[in-house]
Each structure stands twice: as C-alpha cells, then as structure tokens.
Amino acid sequence: MKILKTTKELIDYRKNLTCNIGLVPTMGALHQGHISLIKESVQKNDNTIVSIFVNPTQFLAGEDFSSYPNRYEADLKICSLAGVDALFMPCTDEMYFENEPTLLAPMKQSYILEGYQRPKHFDGVLRIVLKLLNLSKPTNAYFGKKDTQQLFLIQNMVKTLFIDTTIVPCEIIRDEKGLALSSRNAYLNENEKLQALNISKSLKIASKELMRGELHVNNIKEKMREVLKELDVEYIEITNRKFEKIDIINLKNSIILVATKVGKTRLIDNMWI
Ligand code: AMP
C-alpha cells in the first residue's frame, strides 16, 4: 500500500492509473463502518484510495477538532489488510490555501437538522470533498448513510457541478447492541455507552409503530421522545428524501433522524424508510 502525504504525490499516483478507481474519504480512527465502505470499494474497483484527513473547516469553534481521535498505526494496518492501494494522509497546509474560492452548500438543505446545530458545517464538508474528488478523480466514491444529510448534499454537488464520479451510499454499520459505529463513540464511558443505546432503540420503536400501521409523524416522534427522555435530544425529525418536514409518513421515501448529546458527546443516527 502506497502512503501519499502530499497532493503532488496523489496527483502523480493518479496520473498513472487508467483503471476504475474507488475513493473512500474519512477522518480516520477507522472502525467497521469505515471498513464496510472500504470493502465495497475494493470489491467494485480495480484501485481503492482511502483518505484520512481531519478537516478543520467542517468543525465549529468549540467542537472537538483538536481532540479528534487519532489512531495512525491502527488505521494503516486496517487499510493495508483491507486491500487498499493508496492511503492519502495530507496535512492541513497541503489542502487549504490563504486565498481560495469557497463553496457554499445550498442554504435550504444545509441549515436544517445537522446544519441548524452546526452552521457552515456542510460548507466545510463540500469544500474538502470537492478537493478530494478533484485530486483523485475517482470512478466511484463511497459515503455512509450514517451521515445521511452529508450524503445528499454531496450527491447534489456532484450532480450540479457535473463531477464525473458516482456517489455510492453505504448502509449504517452498528455494534451487536445496535449502536451506530462512530469514531466519536470512543469518547463514551461505560454508562454513556448504555445510555447511547437508546438512540437506536428509539428508531426500533419507530419501526415497530410503523409496522403497527402508525403513520402520523407527531405520534411516532412522541414515542421516540419517551425512549430518549434521559438524553439531551437536539432533534428528532421525520422528513422526505429532500429533508422537508412531513406530517404523514410515506412508506417509500421517508427518513427518521435523531441527534442527541450523551454526556458531552454528540451522536447522530437515522433510519431510511
Ligand atoms: P468520518 O470518518 O466520520 O468522516 O466518516 C467517513 C465515512 O464513513 C462517511 O461517509 C461516513 O458516513 C461513513 N461512516 C461513518 N460511520 C459509519 C457507520 N457506522 N456505518 C457506515 N458508514 C459510516
């Protein structure tokens, strides 16, 4: 596996490839969620590039940018064992410049839900993803449904900026108890881990209600709120696939999204219906 630390190294590496390329952008501290994206890419492409970059522009002041988990050695091993061809690990100065045009995510879909709690977060996400796509020019790029709003905004960017890459959505990977895997789970103590299980439990309750025939958003949100009552809930929302709020669930195209704080750690989860 090649380790590429500069943009020049990535550009030169890419120039020599004529095959199908899969890109998996990450911020490191890799877990089975990331590994599932990597495996999908390795299976479907001749060459897989993984990037590890903790992107400063997507963090708000006071968030965990400077304390974000870093597991360089373990990440290297995981990528190598998973059959990754190149690992791109640039420093911030490689990726950002003093004077550069910026990209703004569409207001309507980026200042609600995650973007309401984290204004400008998605501007930073799109900026870095665009740079990574331009550098590696992948045939396919893999993103998790775990960050479902991010996934939609990236799909929209690729479509509207005519970028020649297919965005491949990947299923959410959970631990055996149902907790959606996240690099930030590393911040949780034992008690918080138990509390965090209520997040996926609330989605399971929603699913049960749906199976009983309940389609009223307010009733389902109420049931979910009961399960999450011990936690500091930031939002429970049910939307269509354009992230517009709905009153009645459409069984073909709705999404249930949750964000809560568990102790000091902010966790998100969702379920596509
Ligand atoms: P991150 O390192 O948190 O920026 O995540 C990198 C990619 O992995 C993103 O596309 C995430 O949506 C995806 N991802 C993170 N956690 C999971 C998970 N539990 N299941 C599936 N994909 C995930």
Side-chain angles (χ1 to χ4, degrees), residues 111-156:
Y111 278 78
I112 52 169
L113 302 164
E114 282 305 284
Y116 181 75
Q117 305 294 335
R118 308 179 73 193
K120 298 195 176 162
H121 164 70
F122 288 116
D123 296 349
V125 169
L126 294 192
R127 261 172 96 178
I128 195 62
V129 172
L130 181 59
K131 283 168 186 266
L132 292 169
L133 292 176
N134 283 340
L135 284 166
S136 48
K137 297 186 178 58
T139 322
N140 300 299
Y142 295 79
F143 292 89
K145 288 183 178 177
K146 164 84 176 11
D147 300 282
T148 202
Q149 198 177 355
Q150 163 177 291
L151 168 67
F152 276 81
L153 286 161
I154 291 168
Q155 282 177 321
N156 170 275

Side-chain angles (χ1 to χ4, degrees), residues 141-188:
Y142 295 79
F143 292 89
K145 288 183 178 177
K146 164 84 176 11
D147 300 282
T148 202
Q149 198 177 355
Q150 163 177 291
L151 168 67
F152 276 81
L153 286 161
I154 291 168
Q155 282 177 321
N156 170 275
M157 174 178 77
V158 163
K159 182 175 157 205
T160 56
L161 298 186
F162 311 112
I163 298 167
D164 192 16
T165 293
T166 301
I167 301 299
V168 184
C170 300
E171 293 306 323
I172 299 177
I173 305 297
R174 301 172 178 282
D175 72 9
E176 65 284 356
K177 292 186 178 144
L179 179 64
L181 297 184
S182 160
S183 305
R184 290 189 169 103
N185 291 352
Y187 301 146
L188 303 173

Side-chain angles (χ1 to χ4, degrees), residues 7 30 46 65 67 78 86 106 123 148-149 197 211 213 266 270 272:
T7 49
L30 302 180
D46 305 310
F65 173 65
S67 58
I78 287 172
D123 296 349
T148 202
Q149 198 177 355
L197 291 179
M211 282 193 284
R266 189 169 184 282
N270 69 80
W272 293 30

Side-chain angles (χ1 to χ4, degrees), residues 2-273:
K2 281 244 180 311
I3 309 286
L4 311 170
K5 293 210 166 164
T6 65
T7 49
K8 180 169 183 323
E9 282 169 353
L10 176 54
I11 291 164
D12 289 346
Y13 176 80
R14 174 64 185 89
K15 267 188 195 146
N16 291 322
L17 298 176
T18 50
C19 54
N20 264 16
I21 297 165
L23 172 71
V24 184
T26 80
M27 297 205 298
L30 302 180
H31 51 64
Q32 290 298 331
H34 299 112
I35 294 171
S36 73
L37 272 57
I38 294 172
K39 280 193 178 152
E40 181 85 6
S41 174
V42 168
Q43 213 173 52
K44 301 275 164 61
N45 300 275
D46 305 310
N47 187 290
T48 289
I49 303 172
V50 171
S51 65
I52 296 183
F53 180 65
V54 182
N55 174 36
T57 62
Q58 71 186 68
F59 287 81
L60 270 68
E63 288 189 344
D64 57 346
F65 173 65
S66 48
S67 58
Y68 198 81
N70 174 342
R71 296 211 215 98
Y72 174 78
E73 294 298 334
D75 289 353
L76 218 75
K77 222 178 246 173
I78 287 172
C79 288
S80 168
L81 285 174
V84 171
D85 298 281
L87 182 55
F88 178 51
M89 305 178 75
C91 64
T92 305
D93 288 350
E94 281 290 321
M95 296 307 287
Y96 286 106
F97 303 87
E98 229 169 64
N99 296 306
E100 61 171 63
T102 55
L103 185 63
L104 298 180
M107 290 286 285
K108 198 172 154 203
Q109 284 135 355
S110 66
Y111 278 78
I112 52 169
L113 302 164
E114 282 305 284
Y116 181 75
Q117 305 294 335
R118 308 179 73 193
K120 298 195 176 162
H121 164 70
F122 288 116
D123 296 349
V125 169
L126 294 192
R127 261 172 96 178
I128 195 62
V129 172
L130 181 59
K131 283 168 186 266
L132 292 169
L133 292 176
N134 283 340
L135 284 166
S136 48
K137 297 186 178 58
T139 322
N140 300 299
Y142 295 79
F143 292 89
K145 288 183 178 177
K146 164 84 176 11
D147 300 282
T148 202
Q149 198 177 355
Q150 163 177 291
L151 168 67
F152 276 81
L153 286 161
I154 291 168
Q155 282 177 321
N156 170 275
M157 174 178 77
V158 163
K159 182 175 157 205
T160 56
L161 298 186
F162 311 112
I163 298 167
D164 192 16
T165 293
T166 301
I167 301 299
V168 184
C170 300
E171 293 306 323
I172 299 177
I173 305 297
R174 301 172 178 282
D175 72 9
E176 65 284 356
K177 292 186 178 144
L179 179 64
L181 297 184
S182 160
S183 305
R184 290 189 169 103
N185 291 352
Y187 301 146
L188 303 173
N189 64 30
E190 288 309 311
N191 186 37
E192 288 170 341
K193 268 185 205 155
L194 282 178
Q195 286 179 18
L197 291 179
N198 286 320
I199 303 171
S200 55
K201 203 167 152 196
S202 76
L203 292 170
K204 271 188 217 142
I205 295 281
S207 174
K208 265 192 198 149
E209 286 298 309
L210 284 172
M211 282 193 284
R212 273 188 345 108
E214 178 63 81
L215 293 177
H216 286 86
V217 163
N218 282 340
N219 295 345
I220 292 186
K221 278 166 76 171
E222 199 44 51
K223 294 272 181 200
M224 291 176 71
R225 215 168 275 126
E226 274 170 37
V227 180
L228 293 166
K229 63 177 182 286
E230 307 275 294
L231 297 177
D232 181 6
V233 175
E234 287 194 356
Y235 61 76
I236 301 170
E237 283 303 346
I238 305 185
T239 70
N240 61 22
R241 294 277 159 94
K242 291 182 191 154
F243 295 106
E244 293 158 341
K245 286 188 186 174
I246 51 176
D247 295 324
I248 301 290
I249 292 186
N250 178 334
L251 290 173
K252 283 190 184 139
N253 68 3
S254 304
I255 309 177
I256 306 181
L257 306 115
V258 186
T260 72
K261 276 216 169 133
V262 182
K264 285 188 178 147
T265 307
R266 189 169 184 282
L267 298 176
I268 58 171
D269 201 349
N270 69 80
M271 182 171 76
W272 293 30
I273 299 160

